[in-house]
Amino acid sequence: MHVLVDGSGGSSGWPRPGCRCASCSRCRADGTIRKRSAIVVDGTLRVGAGADGAGVGVGADGAGFQVRRLPDARGGAEPGTGNGAGLGGWEVTSADGGRLLYPAGPGAVPVPAEGAARYDIAFLDMLADPAQLGRLRGRGLVTADTITAVAFADHRVSGAAELERRCGFWRVRVPADGEAVTTDRSAQRSQGLTGTAMPSGPRRVLVIGGARSGKSERAELRLAAEPEVTYVATAARWRDGAGDRDWAERVTAHRARRPAWWRTVETTNLAGVLGSAHGAVLIDGIGTWLTAVLDECDAWGGAREKVTGRIAELIEAWRQTRALVVAVSDEAGMGVIPATPAGRLFRDELGRLNQALAAESEEAELVVAGLALPLNAG
């Protein structure tokens, strides 16, 4: 199967004509211009935006192809695209048996039928729902041999650099307009098109930030495309429904953001989880874990030897884990010295722990106002 990417931008391209948002302005400044998303399969079948830009559809000569309309996971694509309510995209099978998945428009999340075969090429609107890739991987429809690429890239992301950054940890290509994508395996390897399997070897990422910085959302975004994720909640479970309505609402909001297939574990035994984990693990977060450990070890009264041991166990498990691990932690040391001994103890212990985890991580990033600043981990 040979696919020519005619365009890779949103319903009006990227930058959008007349749009003065920061994202579109950045694209104009750096010369990143993407036409409306559309592809041409085997030089014959056009899938995506029509030549006149009116809506999305399958055109040209369809001889030799099997084209199936797929429903949308969320009831339809972006209003005004002409896709029709409930249309999520198309499944194309070529004469040589090659299989392709393509979304109907911006916001569309196609849902393949039960029993569908693996795709050779899958274009997805990752800005609409990155977790759709996790579902496809979990079902075996997207594998290490599938070329996965972005469609309908637009100003829903802050700019081309951030799109590239996200697709890097989703293991998804960002094709250029005019680029050819082929299922020939030797060509894939030479162009770096394969590689949607889990990264080989351990990979640790520390995401750190202040209160309401967006650090949890950023960590969840990193793992959205993984087929198997264990979410480790370290906050004290007893606070759920214990009369603290605000806390209960925060916990509920966190749970609602997670993909339905993620497995949740509520524990402070992080060393045990990391020692036995496979797939991907999200720890949220290190600050609440430390608070619980200080409580469990009665450290507030001065007994800190057990805390030192628990921290050493965590760091060693972090170093030796076989899983892909993303941990969220708090940056609590921005210059204000806490007025209480307990506050100073927590700040000092968390600061040292953050340093140790960052030094043993392949990646670390600081999240401020929802923006991620990459740090030089290790």
Side-chain angles (χ1 to χ4, degrees), residues 231-237 247 265-270 282-293 296 328:
Y231 182 100
V232 184
T234 60
R237 188 175 182 179
W247 182 262
V265 175
E266 296 176 321
T267 183
T268 58
N269 183 20
L270 293 186
L282 194 158
I283 301 171
D284 197 354
I286 299 300
T288 50
W289 175 84
L290 179 61
T291 300
V293 168
E296 293 170 6
V328 178

Side-chain angles (χ1 to χ4, degrees), residues 3 25 53 80 83 88 129 186 256 275 280 325 344 366:
V3 175
S25 296
N83 299 320
D129 178 19
S186 60
V325 184
R344 291 192 291 272
L366 174 67

Side-chain angles (χ1 to χ4, degrees), residues 158 162 166 212-215 217-218 221 366-373:
S158 61
E162 177 61 18
R166 294 186 188 186
R212 293 301 188 189
S213 63
K215 59 187 182 296
E217 291 90 336
R218 179 71 180 189
L221 190 67
L366 174 67
V367 182
V368 181
L371 303 177
L373 175 66

Side-chain angles (χ1 to χ4, degrees), residues 208-350:
I208 190 169
R212 293 301 188 189
S213 63
K215 59 187 182 296
S216 291
E217 291 90 336
R218 179 71 180 189
E220 292 161 8
L221 190 67
R222 275 184 166 269
L223 295 181
E226 298 304 323
E228 182 180 2
V229 179
T230 299
Y231 182 100
V232 184
T234 60
R237 188 175 182 179
W238 60 265
R239 295 192 65 174
D240 281 352
D244 191 335
R245 181 176 178 180
D246 176 68
W247 182 262
E249 290 176 349
R250 289 168 183 259
V251 170
T252 299
H254 271 255
R255 288 172 177 166
R257 286 202 309 261
R258 301 172 209 161
W261 66 91
W262 284 17
R263 171 175 171 258
T264 299
V265 175
E266 296 176 321
T267 183
T268 58
N269 183 20
L270 293 186
V273 171
L274 293 176
S276 61
H278 52 83
V281 176
L282 194 158
I283 301 171
D284 197 354
I286 299 300
T288 50
W289 175 84
L290 179 61
T291 300
V293 168
L294 291 171
D295 284 340
E296 293 170 6
C297 298
D298 194 26
W300 307 110
R304 302 179 188 175
E305 294 80 6
K306 291 183 179 180
V307 175
T308 301
R310 291 285 296 277
I311 290 176
E313 289 176 0
L314 170 59
I315 294 172
E316 181 61 16
W318 180 264
R319 295 179 65 192
Q320 301 301 328
T321 185
R322 296 178 180 275
L324 167 62
V325 184
V326 177
V328 178
S329 193
D330 304 285
E331 177 49 68
M334 290 295 190
V336 177
I337 300 177
T340 65
R344 291 192 291 272
L345 170 63
F346 174 78
R347 184 202 63 171
D348 292 348
E349 291 290 350
L350 182 59

